[in-house]
Amino acid sequence: DAKTTQPPSMDCAEGRAANLPCNHSTISGNEYVYWYRQIHSQGPQYIIHGLKNNETNEMASLIITEDRKSSTLILPHATLRDTAVYYCIVRGKLTFGQGTILTVHP
Amino acid sequence: DTAVSQTPKYLVTQMGNDKSIKCEQNLGHDTMYWYKQDSKKFLKIMFSYNNKELIINETVPNRFSPKSPDKAHLNLHINSLELGDSAVYFCASSQNPRTGGWETQYFGPGTRLLVL
């Protein structure tokens, strides 16, 4: 299973875009990249996933590099309620790492 | 309507006791999971069932026994509770083939277990 690396924490101003990076240099060709988040004291929540192409849904956008060794989750207009731990996971790995603690401040 | 529900939300018990945590999903999914989140916040898979059949069983003490009476329910029974079992336990479900690979998972609110 491919390993992922994320910065431990990031800050973002409310209303600005939050760009959360993830490295997955050992990803194999058929492994998807998934993003989840966990708001304090709640269960993890699915955000988005992708294989090769960039993806967008109502919550976020996912940009995957052409070599697929890294990706970026973009929250276009962060709100205070987006403060959470964000996990980048490669399909097949059923353990969430430490993720990135995103703090959105006023 | 709650998609994935767990009971109880909090569970405080003494060492050596036996306890169960219940999970139900009303999403019509075929696969359900149990995860454990420890004090360091690492979330690790424990078990996965597909259509009542066990498909993933990580290195978990055999004091932990999952039971799936039907595909909408996956209960977790824990015998002889130990201090180290204190954690938050999350149930999840997904619609995916029995390979046990990832699809979009929906998580319950968690059960906070404290063993004294």
Side-chain angles (χ1 to χ4, degrees), chain A residues 34 36 38 40-46 49 87 89-98, chain B residues 33 35 37 40-45 56 90 99-105 107-109 112:
Chain A
Y34 279 77
Y36 283 74
Q38 188 174 21
H40 181 61
S41 297
Q42 297 182 21
Q45 176 190 25
Y46 165 80
H49 73 283
Y87 298 100
I89 302 145
V90 173
R91 178 176 180 159
K93 185 166 180 64
L94 295 176
T95 295
F96 291 61
Q98 286 193 300
Chain B
Y33 311 80
Y35 287 82
Q37 187 166 41
K40 294 183 179 179
K41 302 300 183 182
F42 285 109
L43 194 64
K44 293 187 68 173
I45 185 74
I56 293 175
F90 288 99
T99 57
W102 269 65
E103 294 293 339
T104 302
Q105 295 194 13
F107 283 79
R112 286 139 189 86

